Amino acid sequence: MTTPASLRLADDRLAALAWGDPGAPTWLALHGWLDNAASFSRLAPRLVARLGIRVVAIDFAGHGHSAHSPGDYAIWDYCDDVLDAAEALGLDAPTLLAHSMGAGVACLVAAALPERVGRLALIDGLGAVTTPADQAPRQLRRGLLGHRRPPSRGPRYADEESAVAARARGGVAPVEAATIRPVVARNLRLLAEGDLGWRSDPRLVRPSPVRLTPSQVAACLAAIASPVLLVEGEGGILGEGERARAARAALPGLERRVLPGGHHLHLEPGAVAAVAEAIAAWVEGASDVSFPAGAEHDSDEAGG
């Protein structure tokens, strides 16, 4: 696995990993909830070699090696992480390479500030988690009660293998230990007692007091003007559910690829090559690319 360079950005607030020549066109990579910059450790080197780019993957606030936030972790707060990182790197309108929650953040930035985004390459994520307007009081109750509970001490692990096994068992989507290992390794810290614990802020698991509504997310998706590629895993979290279909329908001109793999297909040793090929072919405008058996290729996807 290619060794990336470590960066500190935004007045040392954000940590990042970088692959490729610092003088090459730079893409900004955004990870999913409770993951970190190592989420791109298998995909970024392939894109760098194929496209001659640089990939800088940030740790969102509260994740990985970045500072914990003194405030909240609402999805729109992460938009500032993207903008701060882009400004620190001197990027006017970079391509955003984004997975899961990071894809939601990328969509919000592209909708609100279209002049700050060149392209969106999204991996198994589109839009954001929503709450219908009539359920807002219930969501607010969950958030207020959750925020008043003190953070737990957090789990302790005797070694990295135990932590990897725990994350593989307890994630929001099924994932193999070999797939998630780089993310777990970056998120571990040595505790005073000699055990290992998570670097990530325990407050990240608190319920959000407020979420965007489905109509608000649809309006944001409809406002995106940049080219968008969505690479989904056949076993990912989107699929053909009503919400996923509505999100895809809200974004005119979306290009969609469905590839063998799960939610973390960009990290799966057996799937990452196909993900890299799909993204590179999209960038290069190739129309004759051969996709793996079982992969779906929809251009100008409108209805999911």
Side-chain angles (χ1 to χ4, degrees):
M1 192 179 299
T2 304
T3 301
S6 295
L7 304 178
R8 300 296 305 189
L9 305 171
D11 297 324
D12 207 40
R13 185 175 70 83
L14 299 175
L17 297 176
W19 294 264
D21 187 335
T26 299
W27 290 19
L28 201 56
L30 314 175
H31 63 79
W33 182 60
L34 296 183
D35 288 348
N36 52 59
S39 177
F40 298 95
S41 58
R42 294 188 175 117
L43 176 61
R46 292 176 179 270
L47 295 177
V48 167
R50 172 71 177 268
L51 299 173
I53 61 173
R54 184 191 193 202
V55 176
V56 176
I58 65 171
D59 290 334
F60 279 127
H63 295 74
H65 290 243
S66 285
H68 294 185
S69 172
D72 201 1
Y73 288 106
I75 190 168
W76 44 83
D77 292 316
Y78 295 121
C79 293
D80 283 317
D81 293 348
V82 178
L83 297 172
D84 287 349
E87 290 173 1
L89 294 165
L91 306 178
D92 294 328
T95 294
L96 300 182
L97 173 66
H99 172 244
S100 195
M101 183 191 77
V105 176
C107 288
L108 294 184
V109 174
L113 298 169
E115 70 278 9
R116 301 295 299 273
V117 177
R119 287 175 297 209
L120 297 178
L122 310 179
I123 303 170
D124 218 58
L126 181 65
V129 176
T130 62
T131 293
D134 63 356
Q135 295 181 24
R138 179 183 178 187
Q139 183 67 33
L140 181 59
R141 173 184 172 83
R142 292 181 64 240
L144 291 175
L145 293 177
H147 281 230
R148 294 184 67 83
R149 288 194 293 268
S152 64
R153 181 173 177 235
R156 309 290 172 113
Y157 304 102
D159 50 38
E160 183 176 315
E161 289 302 317
S162 301
V164 170
R167 174 61 197 272
R169 290 193 307 268
V172 295
V175 64
E176 297 290 334
T179 296
I180 205 65
R181 186 179 304 279
V183 169
V184 171
R186 183 167 175 80
N187 196 36
L188 288 175
R189 63 187 178 96
L190 182 64
L191 303 175
E193 299 87 346
D195 293 335
L196 297 173
W198 300 126
R199 288 180 176 273
S200 52
D201 192 336
R203 296 183 300 139
L204 289 169
V205 300
R206 289 175 170 177
S208 300
V210 178
R211 289 178 179 162
L212 296 172
T213 66
S215 61
Q216 287 174 320
V217 169
C220 287
L221 291 172
I224 294 174
S226 56
V228 184
L229 172 69
L230 172 61
V231 178
E232 296 182 35
E234 288 178 345
I237 63 173
L238 298 178
E240 298 303 324
E242 181 180 351
R243 291 183 180 181
R245 292 175 64 89
R248 293 194 294 263
L251 215 170
L254 172 71
E255 293 197 34
R256 181 189 182 206
R257 311 285 188 269
V258 182
L259 304 176
H263 181 52
H264 285 82
L265 70 163
H266 65 304
L267 255 178
E268 293 177 18
V272 62
V275 176
E277 176 63 25
I279 294 172
W282 173 67
V283 171
E284 295 167 346
S287 59
D288 58 350
V289 60
S290 296
F291 288 90
E296 295 181 17
H297 173 200
D298 298 326
S299 181
D300 197 20
E301 170 71 35

